[in-house]
Amino acid sequence: MEGPREKILLFDSGVGGLTVYRELAKARPQADYVYVADDSGFPYGWLDERVLVARVVALMGELIDAHRPDLIVIPCNTASTIALPDLRGKFTVPFVGTVPAIKPACAASVTRRVSVFGTEATVAREYTRALIRDYAQGCKVKLVGSRHLATYVEAELGGAPASDAQILAEMAPCFEEDGARTDTVVLACTHYPLLLDRLRRLSPWEVNFVDPAPAIARRVVDLLGPAAAAGKGSARGFFTSGRAPQAVLARFGISVLAPATAAG
Ligand code: DGL
């Protein structure tokens, strides 16, 4: 007998979480998805840690009341690396976070030179530094904080791409030649895979860019177990500014949820 559809809520500061949604929708097409972007608070990388935690916890309470999700994915490194313990302490819904994929990147690096490329906030977090201490596996790991790349990604999707020089200025420090060359770059901000083609084209040499999205999708499917419902579920999106980028969401198969419905 067919069971109810699972409801999965995704929460990011903007369009970055769509890179995780894309993989999730492939792995679990039967679920109903609500994609929430707190774009009124974008970029999260610029917010003070305490302000960010308070903001995310408050919003999450409203979203849980309004949508009653079975599981929440935070496809945002900047929020996950600081707010996950508070979220898990306060709510009973299971959370799947997104944190820099340092362990698989270091396991895969041949030259033993890895860069972690994320927002300035993510690379400054103790959580990220602990991942390096625990999982560098003898690799030299360089932290590269980018002030503007997430904003360039939002602009690119909004039809106003940043120049090659602007993007190169953000990514250049990822490429180190120190006896050996960096061969692996962890994309530690979910926005960045949306610019992957440009990142590849502008790279001074070929590197392996590690996108955590497929691993997050596998983790969600493991937690949910076999799908109870058959067929394809729905996908709706809500932006806290009330200005959801309809055309961008449509490219990912997501329809815009009216603000009144989103708030419950
Ligand atoms: N997508 C985000 C991340 O993974 C955050 C970008 C931002 O709001 O600064 O870190």
Side-chain angles (χ1 to χ4, degrees):
M1 204 182 71
E2 201 173 310
R5 287 188 189 290
E6 302 121 352
K7 189 183 266 188
I8 301 177
L9 191 139
L10 292 97
F11 180 91
D12 182 32
S13 57
V15 295
L18 292 170
T19 59
V20 174
Y21 168 72
R22 185 168 57 191
E23 293 302 318
L24 261 179
K26 274 193 255 162
R28 185 54 75 105
Q30 302 90 345
D32 286 331
Y33 292 93
V34 180
Y35 183 88
V36 179
D38 179 22
D39 61 329
S40 317
F42 181 85
Y44 271 9
W46 293 13
L47 294 187
D48 169 81
E49 291 191 358
R50 276 168 310 179
V51 172
L52 178 57
V53 171
R55 182 178 180 100
V56 171
V57 169
L59 265 169
M60 206 57 75
E62 289 172 27
L63 291 166
I64 290 171
D65 287 347
H67 299 287
R68 301 273 155 219
D70 298 296
L71 187 143
I72 297 175
V73 182
I74 312 278
C76 174
N77 295 261
T78 311
S80 297
T81 50
I82 191 74
L84 268 181
D86 290 81
L87 291 170
R88 289 187 171 133
K90 193 162 166 69
F91 305 110
T92 52
V93 188
F95 284 89
V96 174
T98 307
V99 300
I102 289 164
K103 190 178 178 182
C106 291
S109 171
V110 174
T111 62
R112 320 304 291 151
R113 301 288 185 277
V114 173
S115 289
V116 178
F117 190 30
T119 63
E120 288 172 320
T122 294
V123 303
R125 302 256 198 264
E126 171 50 28
Y127 193 107
T128 306
R129 287 155 196 256
L131 286 175
I132 295 173
R133 281 197 301 277
D134 293 344
Y135 299 117
Q137 301 156 69
C139 289
K140 268 198 170 174
V141 180
K142 182 173 186 201
L143 289 167
V144 180
S146 165
R147 185 149 186 81
H148 300 294
L149 196 59
T151 306
Y152 295 161
V153 173
E154 296 275 335
E156 171 116 1
L157 266 62
S163 68
D164 283 355
Q166 285 173 310
I167 291 178
L168 198 52
E170 301 295 306
M171 71 187 281
C174 292
F175 294 82
E176 283 269 281
E177 274 202 282
D178 153 30
R181 283 178 164 182
T182 307
D183 69 351
T184 307
V185 176
V186 178
L187 296 176
C189 172
T190 52
H191 278 70
Y192 302 173
L194 291 166
L195 278 193
L196 193 54
D197 289 345
R198 294 191 73 187
L199 298 179
R200 286 208 174 106
R201 185 166 55 74
L202 294 169
S203 296
W205 58 81
E206 203 180 314
V207 293
N208 176 24
F209 286 104
V210 181
D211 173 5
I216 295 165
R218 284 195 297 276
R219 172 82 186 127
V220 170
V221 170
D222 280 354
L223 281 176
L224 292 173
K232 191 166 163 24
S234 61
R236 295 166 307 152
F238 168 66
F239 279 54
T240 55
S241 67
R243 293 186 300 274
Q246 210 163 337
V248 174
L249 292 180
R251 270 167 43 201
F252 288 81
I254 299 176
S255 59
V256 174
L257 190 59
T261 331

